[in-house]
Amino acid sequence: MAELKVTHLTAEYRRELLGTDVTHPRMSWRIESDRQGTTQKAYRIQTAGENGNFDEPLWDSGLCESDKNVLVPYDGPSLSSCTRYLYRVKAWDNFGRESEWSDPAWWETAFCDSKEWMAQWITPSSESIDPQAEPAFLLRKPFSLKGAEIASARIYVTAAGVYELYLNGEKVGDDELAPGWTSYRSRQAYQTYDVSAQLQKGGNAIGIMVANGWYKGRLGWENKANHYGDRRAVLVQLHVRYNDGTEEVMGSDPTWKASTGAIRFSEIYDGETYDARMEQNGWSEPGFDDLSWGAAERLELPLTHLVAQENVSTRVTQTLKPLAVIVTPSGDTLLDMGQNMVGRIRFNVSAPEGTVIKLTHAEVLDKEGNFYMGNIRTAKQLVTFIAKGEGTETYAPHFTFQGFRYVKVEGYPDQEKGLPPEAFTGEVIHSDMDQTGAFECSDEMVNQLQRNIVWGQRGNFLDVPTDCPQRDERLGWTGDAQVFAGTALFNYNGGPFFTKWLRDLKADQLADGQVPFVVPNIIQGYSSAAWGDAATVIPWAMYTSLADKQILTEQYDSMKGWVDYIRSQGDTEHIWNTGFHFGDWLALDAKEGSYMGATPSHMVTAAYFALSTRIIRDAAKVLGFEEDAAYYGALAERIAAAYRDEFITPNGRVAARTQTAHVLALVFDLAESKDRARIARDLNEMIVENNYHLTTGFVGTPYLCFALSDNGYHETAVKLLLQKTYPSWLYSVSKGATTIWEHWDGIKPDGSFWSDDMNSFNHYAYGAVGEWMYRKIAGLSPDAEQPGYKKVRIEPDFTGGRLSHARASYESMYGTVEAGWTFHDRQIRVEAVVPANAAASILLRGAHADEIKGSIKDEGILSITQEAEGVRVETGSGRYVFTYARTDSTYRIYTPDMRLSEVVQWETAKQILDRHAPGFSGNLNHFANLPLAAAANSPMGTAISKEQYDAISRELSQIRE
């Protein structure tokens, strides 16, 4: 490695940003160094035009004395449309070293003003094609270019519908389901493609296919279509630049021709029908005979709401081969892909003309092993292919996606002799985000749970954060996105993804601040606590994870609007007790026949009111809005006080005896400090009494383990994670799940199903436990005061027993961050990696400073402090390894049946045992340095009689009081 090097340049999170209308793109870079404790002391940025002449830069920041290397905005002259800009960076560090210039990176603008669109929205003439016809429309335009050498060419394109673009017979780009789903009435995205290599001198042709997609297709469970319009249309503009400096621009207009082709039907929910006999070979090539095609006509759609694509593209990101071909007891032939995936099947076939092949997609088999479609509801998930009978044909659907593991195949030639699995390939489709996080530990079922969480995110982050990818829903539910955002931002870089979706949320938010249940909003439901709070929680999560201050600026009015709306509701300023709320959705303590848990909805509304108000307070501080910070800070205190008056009794008990009610009081910091211990103890007792099972729903589950770990019951939290019987996270893993289920008992222990009505097997909300796994088990999290991993908190908690190692890594904007620990031979080994220009605060739990070995005297160590929980080590960048003997500061007392009863201080445990179980405390030293799992399996629990245990329990109760 070079001594000091600048690498990994990005603009607006992307290495290559093609087609942006951001006027001040934010640049980021990483520092690589061969020394620990490296920080950036200064930087210099140069930006050049398309000629790449840095000797005469368009903008030179000059030497900026700053340690900032994340999301630094361009501050040069105004950018021109349709122009590429190159940039490079050099840095100086705290050791007095100066780097070389980085390799150049680039961004390229699209249209900076909607007036630059000269193309027209067009659709097939209603005289030639029925506007409501099911087949996908084909539109084409031949054109000729002059003889000059082409320097560059770009196409700017979008559709009212979903489209595929072709140039001279070849598909343009690798996007799927473009232009994506936005709040079309307010915001319509367009894409930019570099087609320099696809154009040729002389004759050329553009072709575009367009289907209903989200714009016109059936969405929601009420069988409604045409949510945004009743006619498909396209908008295409081509810019060609020649080496002689001249330019040609051409766009869609009524001179284009229109027809239909092989795609006879295509819908998001219902699949696609493709009749290969109706293919129009060469339809997007210049020599094609289109005399029989009809005319196009102009459609009056707006141009002013067009925005350059903000999200990363939706693409095929992985391919899977079938795990097996199976024949069910009922005689169906199925492909088992081995993974509940989202995307499509591509297959090859040689078949006689007119052969009909049908693929039906489903997630699970029933308890008899038969193909099960009940939970898909009215979505057909059916792909039909009709062969033209000419050699080997290859097909995959164009304008739909399915959620599935199993595929029922009908009509494939000679399939009664067995399907050839090599003829089928699963193509995984989702927003092509950069994967940033990884977690693994010593328990392979937990590792499978982590894989399930990641696959659930992949399947449901398809341009919008959907609730499920298979049934007649697939909507951007705000509550699901809100509870999962923290985990999502560990697993993937969600900067572009959430930026785009939050802009849609703001666009669909009502003037009085109400937030829709779903975004983009097609069901017209508004303002449930924990759902509408996506408006505040997600921007703040992005700020803490990515140091994205701009998202707070952009969304601040939306965030305030939501809190101010809540404040205007209810009988008092501080308790929101009106309106419909989903409450602790799908909690197991719900009444029979209800989806809403037993935690009173007004406890949920008040808790989230407090949370969102505090977020506004903190965002105002970040943005420098001092008056708002003071106002919302005082309001948050009044809300918390009102919550205590309403929902916490004078003797410190939570009014509702549900797990979620106790979780909210603790995690949302609503209880007074004097009451926290009792509330935490009550929560722990509820879980122990329930034999270490949870009862929480969408609201309580994401925070349950945090409430336990942060209040002295980390071992209970770990036991919950490792619980394998229903209800638990690992129950679904034990049943073969490869994604997260919507219901804890989506498949019951006897193999039957929870319900046909609402039973997704790919529904990421309960995967929110992943954030706790990263933060508490592996111990990796950003410091709230220095967000975006500028300062890393590495605080692994291995006191829960049963696990012998855990590790997490995260690709931060600064570079790779790692935290991990291993317990072996009575030694704890803690490892940490901190990227250059970042720092870390590392807690070596249970350690004594004079006994630590390893990196304790390395160059990057800034300070070492003995604390009650262990040793706190402050470091600069570098790789660090610490080892020390494990000595627990607490002792676990077990009942005769080995269930954990209490965790008490070491000396207290010894004194109590000496009084009530003489001689037993002599075993303390023997058991102290064993792994907790070994201690739990030792005979020490059976050495205490019931009478002794009761006496111990009474004394512990007195201590608590």
Side-chain angles (χ1 to χ4, degrees):
M1 184 187 298
E3 287 187 348
L4 185 68
K5 190 175 183 181
V6 175
T7 65
H8 293 78
L9 274 62
T10 61
E12 294 298 324
Y13 298 105
R14 276 160 284 188
R15 291 178 291 276
E16 295 181 345
L17 178 57
L18 177 62
T20 181
D21 55 10
V22 176
T23 56
H24 293 84
R26 296 168 298 165
M27 295 161 281
S28 305
W29 58 90
R30 295 184 185 179
I31 304 294
E32 293 184 0
S33 171
D34 61 352
R35 293 188 65 172
Q36 291 183 325
T38 298
T39 59
Q40 177 184 283
K41 287 299 183 182
Y43 68 83
R44 183 181 177 187
I45 304 172
Q46 286 185 337
T47 304
E50 292 180 314
N51 58 12
N53 183 8
F54 287 104
D55 292 332
E56 297 180 5
L58 176 71
W59 174 62
D60 190 326
S61 70
L63 190 147
C64 299
E65 294 185 358
S66 169
D67 65 350
K68 188 173 179 60
N69 65 315
V70 170
L71 300 173
V72 178
Y74 166 79
D75 195 27
S78 297
L79 302 178
S80 300
S81 295
C82 307
T83 303
R84 177 166 294 193
Y85 295 90
L86 284 75
Y87 63 102
R88 64 180 185 174
V89 181
K90 68 161 46 182
W92 290 259
D93 72 4
N94 53 316
F95 300 113
R97 299 180 297 180
E98 176 182 349
S99 76
E100 299 292 333
W101 284 107
S102 68
D103 292 335
W106 57 266
W107 74 77
E108 186 174 308
T109 54
F111 299 134
C112 298
D113 190 322
S114 62
K115 295 178 182 177
E116 295 173 279
W117 283 99
M118 53 80 63
Q120 300 173 12
W121 285 99
I122 61 170
T123 189
S125 165
S126 56
E127 295 180 358
S128 59
I129 300 175
D130 180 358
Q132 306 308 316
E134 294 288 1
F137 297 157
L138 308 180
L139 293 110
R140 72 181 305 273
K141 174 69 174 182
F143 60 95
S144 293
L145 296 178
K146 66 181 187 179
E149 291 292 331
I150 297 170
S152 66
R154 303 288 185 268
I155 290 183
Y156 307 93
V157 57
T158 189
V162 287
Y163 73 86
E164 284 184 0
L165 181 68
Y166 293 82
L167 183 59
N168 295 333
E170 296 181 0
K171 186 182 175 185
V172 174
D174 56 3
D175 295 359
E176 303 291 342
L177 300 165
W181 189 11
T182 52
S183 300
Y184 293 128
R185 296 183 188 89
S186 303
R187 295 162 23 80
Q188 169 96 38
Y190 65 90
Q191 285 69 45
T192 302
Y193 298 104
D194 182 348
V195 294
S196 305
Q198 287 179 255
L199 284 175
Q200 58 197 18
K201 294 180 183 178
N204 293 268
I206 297 175
I208 187 167
M209 293 195 296
V210 60
N212 288 342
W214 297 281
Y215 183 89
K216 185 179 179 296
R218 178 168 78 100
L219 295 178
W221 54 88
E222 297 177 335
N223 202 32
K224 292 182 180 178
N226 301 327
H227 288 276
Y228 300 99
D230 62 359
R231 297 189 71 176
R232 300 172 227 155
V234 300
L235 182 71
V236 185
Q237 190 159 312
L238 171 66
H239 288 227
V240 182
R241 291 179 181 172
Y242 299 99
N243 285 337
D244 63 7
T246 59
E247 183 176 16
E248 279 190 86
V249 179
M250 59 198 73
S252 49
D253 61 29
T255 65
W256 287 43
K257 292 290 196 73
S259 186
T260 61
I263 300 175
R264 310 310 298 167
F265 171 88
S266 196
E267 283 280 354
I268 298 290
Y269 295 165
D270 296 328
E272 189 166 290
T273 298
Y274 188 93
D275 189 341
R277 299 170 300 180
M278 301 186 72
E279 289 178 344
Q280 299 211 39
N281 294 327
W283 71 275
S284 62
E285 296 176 7
F288 179 76
D289 181 2
D290 60 11
L291 288 177
S292 63
W293 283 38
E297 65 183 22
R298 183 173 181 176
L299 196 63
E300 293 298 330
L301 293 176
L303 299 172
T304 53
H305 72 317
L306 295 178
V307 295
Q309 181 173 320
E310 301 148 321
N311 195 1
V312 293
S313 295
T314 297
R315 297 189 176 99
V316 174
T317 63
Q318 185 178 350
T319 59
L320 301 175
K321 298 303 291 186
L323 185 68
V325 176
I326 58 179
V327 178
T328 68
S330 62
D332 292 327
T333 300
L334 309 182
L335 300 171
D336 177 3
M337 302 307 296
Q339 171 66 51
N340 193 345
M341 58 170 282
V342 174
R344 64 194 180 195
I345 293 290
R346 181 177 297 277
F347 64 89
N348 303 319
V349 65
S350 295
E353 180 182 356
T355 300
V356 178
I357 300 168
K358 293 184 178 181
L359 307 181
T360 309
H361 303 73
E363 293 186 288
V364 293
L365 306 179
D366 67 18
K367 62 181 178 180
E368 285 80 30
N370 289 315
F371 193 66
Y372 173 71
M373 286 282 288
N375 72 315
I376 308 300
R377 301 196 307 211
T378 66
K380 294 183 174 64
Q381 291 216 127
L382 171 65
V383 170
T384 302
F385 175 80
I386 304 170
K388 62 182 174 183
E390 297 178 6
T392 300
E393 302 176 58
T394 300
Y395 168 72
H398 296 257
F399 298 121
T400 186
F401 62 91
Q402 289 82 43
F404 64 99
R405 172 173 175 169
Y406 298 96
V407 184
K408 180 170 69 173
V409 182
E410 301 172 275
Y412 197 89
D414 299 321
Q415 75 175 61
E416 66 277 0
K417 298 178 182 178
L419 283 177
E422 66 277 5
F424 299 86
T425 300
E427 296 184 340
V428 179
I429 297 174
H430 60 87
S431 292
D432 193 11
M433 305 166 290
D434 289 333
Q435 189 160 4
T436 49
F439 172 91
E440 65 91 20
C441 69
S442 56
D443 190 297
E444 183 50 36
M445 289 187 74
V446 174
N447 294 337
Q448 182 61 48
L449 173 65
Q450 168 66 11
R451 289 190 288 271
N452 292 1
I453 293 169
V454 171
W455 273 99
Q457 183 172 352
R458 294 176 75 185
N460 284 290
F461 275 44
L462 200 160
D463 207 57
V464 299
T466 59
D467 60 322
C468 61
Q470 73 296 96
R471 67 182 181 225
D472 53 356
E473 197 161 347
R474 314 187 196 189
L475 305 178
W477 282 94
T478 47
D480 304 51
Q482 178 267 128
V483 300
F484 188 69
T487 299
L489 288 165
F490 267 111
N491 291 333
Y492 287 92
N493 185 328
F497 182 90
F498 278 123
T499 295
K500 171 257 186 188
W501 188 72
L502 286 169
R503 289 171 179 169
D504 289 322
L505 184 152
K506 184 177 181 179
D508 283 347
Q509 190 172 7
L510 298 184
D512 64 359
Q514 294 190 69
V515 174
F517 295 160
V518 301
V519 173
N521 183 20
I522 58 100
I523 65 172
Q524 305 308 312
Y526 295 88
S527 299
S528 167
W531 272 247
D533 294 278
T536 57
V537 171
I538 297 178
W540 188 251
M542 289 182 64
Y543 173 70
T544 57
S545 294
L546 299 167
D548 194 333
K549 185 176 176 180
Q550 181 173 297
I551 199 68
L552 296 182
T553 302
E554 280 191 14
Q555 298 298 128
Y556 188 70
D557 288 343
S558 167
M559 297 163 75
K560 277 182 60 177
W562 171 241
V563 168
D564 290 346
Y565 168 77
I566 298 172
R567 190 169 55 84
S568 70
Q569 304 303 300
D571 298 332
T572 74
E573 183 186 28
H574 308 118
I575 297 294
W576 185 11
N577 55 10
T578 60
F580 168 81
H581 300 280
F582 292 100
D584 193 21
W585 189 249
L586 301 185
L588 294 172
D589 52 16
K591 294 180 180 179
E592 188 69 28
S594 172
Y595 294 142
M596 300 177 191
T599 303
S601 66
H602 296 158
M603 294 186 78
V604 175
T605 62
Y608 268 96
F609 186 15
L611 174 67
S612 283
T613 304
R614 287 171 180 154
I615 289 174
I616 295 294
R617 174 200 64 196
D618 295 341
K621 290 179 182 178
V622 170
L623 298 175
F625 301 149
E626 295 181 5
E627 290 186 7
D628 276 6
Y631 172 79
Y632 287 100
L635 176 60
E637 291 177 4
R638 296 197 300 274
I639 295 167
Y643 185 97
R644 290 190 290 271
D645 289 344
E646 189 80 11
F647 301 119
I648 298 179
T649 67
N651 63 355
R653 289 191 180 278
V654 177
R657 188 169 170 76
T658 69
Q659 292 179 12
T660 291
H662 287 69
V663 166
L664 294 178
L666 293 168
V667 175
F668 287 22
D669 197 22
L670 298 168
E672 291 188 81
S673 57
K674 68 180 180 65
D675 296 327
R676 290 184 66 87
R678 179 167 199 165
I679 293 170
R681 186 170 63 250
D682 289 348
L683 172 63
N684 186 68
E685 287 178 356
M686 280 189 283
I687 292 168
V688 173
E689 290 168 2
N690 202 32
N691 199 21
Y692 293 94
H693 290 95
L694 48 74
T695 60
T696 50
F698 275 32
V699 167
T701 299
Y703 305 108
L704 174 58
C705 288
F706 282 109
L708 293 164
S709 293
D710 291 340
N711 291 280
Y713 296 97
H714 182 66
E715 186 166 357
T716 300
V718 174
K719 282 190 173 185
L720 273 178
L721 177 70
L722 300 180
Q723 177 66 259
K724 297 178 178 65
T725 59
Y726 164 78
S728 67
W729 285 283
L730 296 188
Y731 168 73
S732 64
V733 175
S734 74
K735 301 294 283 185
T738 60
T739 44
I740 301 298
W741 293 355
E742 182 175 15
H743 289 267
W744 296 114
D745 57 345
I747 299 175
K748 295 180 180 293
D750 65 0
S752 62
F753 296 116
W754 179 86
S755 166
D756 277 0
D757 179 52
M758 195 174 66
N759 197 18
S760 165
F761 294 98
N762 191 353
H763 204 102
Y764 57 68
Y766 289 144
V769 71
E771 182 177 9
W772 173 81
M773 290 157 55
Y774 277 106
R775 289 179 181 262
K776 295 300 179 181
I777 294 182
L780 177 61
S781 62
D783 187 290
E785 297 302 317
Q786 298 185 56
Y789 296 85
K790 175 67 173 174
K791 186 170 186 179
V792 187
R793 298 195 71 85
I794 296 176
E795 300 183 352
D797 195 335
F798 33 76
T799 63
R802 300 171 184 262
L803 298 176
S804 60
H805 78 263
R807 179 177 302 277
S809 66
Y810 177 76
E811 288 298 317
S812 77
M813 301 291 282
Y814 293 91
T816 303
V817 183
E818 293 182 13
W821 59 270
T822 304
F823 180 70
H824 179 68
D825 195 24
R826 302 188 184 184
Q827 292 284 311
I828 284 289
R829 176 186 174 96
V830 175
E831 300 179 46
V833 174
V834 184
N837 205 33
S841 180
I842 304 171
L843 176 62
L844 304 177
R845 204 175 296 272
H848 296 282
D850 56 356
E851 297 176 355
I852 301 170
K853 299 178 181 179
S855 301
I856 200 68
K857 295 183 179 180
D858 282 8
E859 179 180 32
I861 301 297
L862 303 177
S863 67
I864 302 168
T865 308
Q866 185 73 52
E867 298 180 353
E869 289 186 276
V871 174
R872 174 78 58 184
V873 183
E874 302 289 336
T875 81
S877 65
R879 181 178 294 272
Y880 304 94
V881 178
F882 307 97
T883 60
Y884 55 97
R886 175 171 180 173
T887 55
D888 292 305
S889 61
T890 57
Y891 185 75
R892 279 79 179 158
I893 297 178
Y894 290 83
T895 64
D897 63 0
M898 300 306 298
R899 286 173 59 191
L900 174 68
S901 171
E902 292 290 342
V903 179
V904 295
Q905 293 299 311
W906 183 278
E907 289 302 319
T908 302
K910 185 177 186 303
Q911 293 169 10
I912 294 173
L913 288 168
D914 282 343
R915 279 195 291 273
H916 299 289
F920 182 74
S921 65
N923 293 320
L924 287 176
N925 290 332
H926 173 69
F927 290 118
N929 291 320
L930 288 177
L932 292 179
N937 293 324
S938 74
M940 68 184 193
T942 59
I944 304 176
S945 69
K946 183 179 186 306
E947 291 76 14
Q948 291 170 322
Y949 176 75
D950 288 343
I952 291 169
S953 296
R954 284 194 296 273
E955 186 160 349
L956 289 172
S957 296
Q958 293 170 1
I959 292 173
R960 290 198 303 265
E961 294 299 329

